[in-house]
Amino acid sequence: MFLAAFAAVVLAGCEYTGPEEPAAAASSPATTRLETPPPASFEQNVEEVARKLKAAPTDAGMPSDAEPAGKLVLALGPGDYTITGACAGVYGAKLTVIREDGVPEAAYFECKDTLEKFFRHDGGPLTISAVPPEGKPAATGVSVQRNQDPRASALEDFSDWSGEQLQPPVPGELRGASSGNARTGTTLMADPGQYHLDFFCAGPNFAELSVSTAAGAEVLAPVRVPCDGQAVRMPLLLPSKGADIYMSPLEGIDGRYAYRLVPAGQP
């Protein structure tokens, strides 16, 4: 867990003597709008959604004659899943996932692409739907399957792990997490002031930790920190905005790191 840029080319050492070309017309707001999808019947849009989902038009999760939205209501066991949404006949659609607690998780996507959403489920009932912003002939559909990408599961494992460290959260804190088998770092955009740095590592026996300002001034000289399941706290005076935190495993093996800056007035 989509920008366009202009490029300019400078021509040196040559001269153009031909007639001047007219200046390019300024882009009008209309040129940046999404183009209207080509007209299609509801049946054609359903077939397009089925093609994108690699499903049959009559499969569960596909739209019906009465409803252009695709919907799945099912009970799933604990595990990692990939939820896919597709649409046709409109610019885009909204995919919503509702767990047993009733809290919706929504994501928007354009019909030129399918939406593939990694989802870790604790088990139990689940409602998945893709809804177009208008009725027929638009069509939307959803499908769900066990996640087949080990990288996505590994990222979620790390997210779960880092979220569990350094609890409970403290008002005003800034936190981050990193992993790797070599030197790595990140920047926490803290204002100048006095802080406590809480640092937790797992994997190697020791890690090297250092801190500098975003401008490059040393704040904490490299120090050896034990990775023994206990968080280490140390005072930190940040003279200017931004703290660059660097860490590396001393044994050269994979390490996991969780860290936060806590204003000195907080416990």
Side-chain angles (χ1 to χ4, degrees):
M1 268 32 63
F2 305 98
L3 298 174
F6 293 101
V9 178
V10 178
L11 300 179
C14 55
E15 182 180 356
Y16 178 64
T17 59
E20 292 185 3
E21 294 185 3
S27 299
S28 65
T31 61
T32 61
R33 295 175 184 168
L34 293 171
E35 295 183 0
T36 303
S41 67
F42 177 65
E43 290 73 22
Q44 289 172 318
N45 286 330
V46 171
E47 289 178 358
E48 176 65 9
V49 170
R51 182 189 67 80
K52 291 178 177 179
L53 293 179
K54 300 178 182 178
T58 56
D59 283 357
M62 293 292 293
S64 66
D65 289 338
E67 174 58 62
K71 187 174 183 179
L72 282 172
V73 180
L74 39 102
L76 295 175
D80 292 345
Y81 296 88
T82 299
I83 297 172
T84 305
C87 57
V90 285
Y91 306 133
K94 179 175 74 171
L95 185 140
T96 304
V97 181
I98 302 177
R99 304 178 193 253
E100 189 173 12
D101 58 12
V103 178
E105 300 178 24
Y108 296 86
F109 63 101
E110 295 182 15
C111 294
K112 65 180 181 180
D113 302 307
T114 57
L115 171 69
E116 292 195 355
K117 176 181 175 66
F118 176 89
F119 190 79
R120 175 159 289 176
H121 188 43
D122 296 332
L126 203 64
T127 300
I128 307 167
S129 62
V131 180
E134 54 193 70
K136 291 183 178 181
T140 58
V142 293
S143 68
V144 60
Q145 61 182 354
R146 286 280 184 178
N147 177 60
Q148 302 298 317
D149 185 355
R151 295 171 299 176
S153 293
L155 285 173
E156 190 69 12
D157 289 341
F158 179 66
S159 178
D160 288 347
W161 175 86
S162 61
E164 292 170 359
Q165 312 308 318
L166 307 177
Q167 294 291 341
V170 176
E173 73 171 28
L174 293 171
R175 66 167 56 201
S178 304
S179 64
N181 60 4
R183 190 173 188 256
T184 183
T186 192
T187 300
L188 298 179
M189 292 308 297
D191 291 328
Q194 187 75 47
Y195 293 87
H196 295 302
L197 171 62
D198 293 337
F199 180 80
F200 182 94
C201 59
N205 292 322
F206 294 93
E208 184 179 84
L209 172 68
S210 64
V211 182
S212 63
T213 67
E218 184 177 89
V219 176
L220 175 68
V223 60
R224 178 169 152 162
V225 178
C227 301
D228 57 2
Q230 300 293 323
V232 175
R233 167 167 284 198
M234 57 193 73
L236 202 69
L237 176 60
L238 195 60
S240 59
K241 189 175 181 65
D244 289 345
I245 302 176
Y246 297 98
M247 60 230 77
S248 61
L250 295 183
E251 294 89 350
I253 63 176
D254 283 329
R256 289 181 168 188
Y257 315 101
Y259 38 88
R260 67 181 178 186
L261 286 176
V262 178
Q266 295 291 342

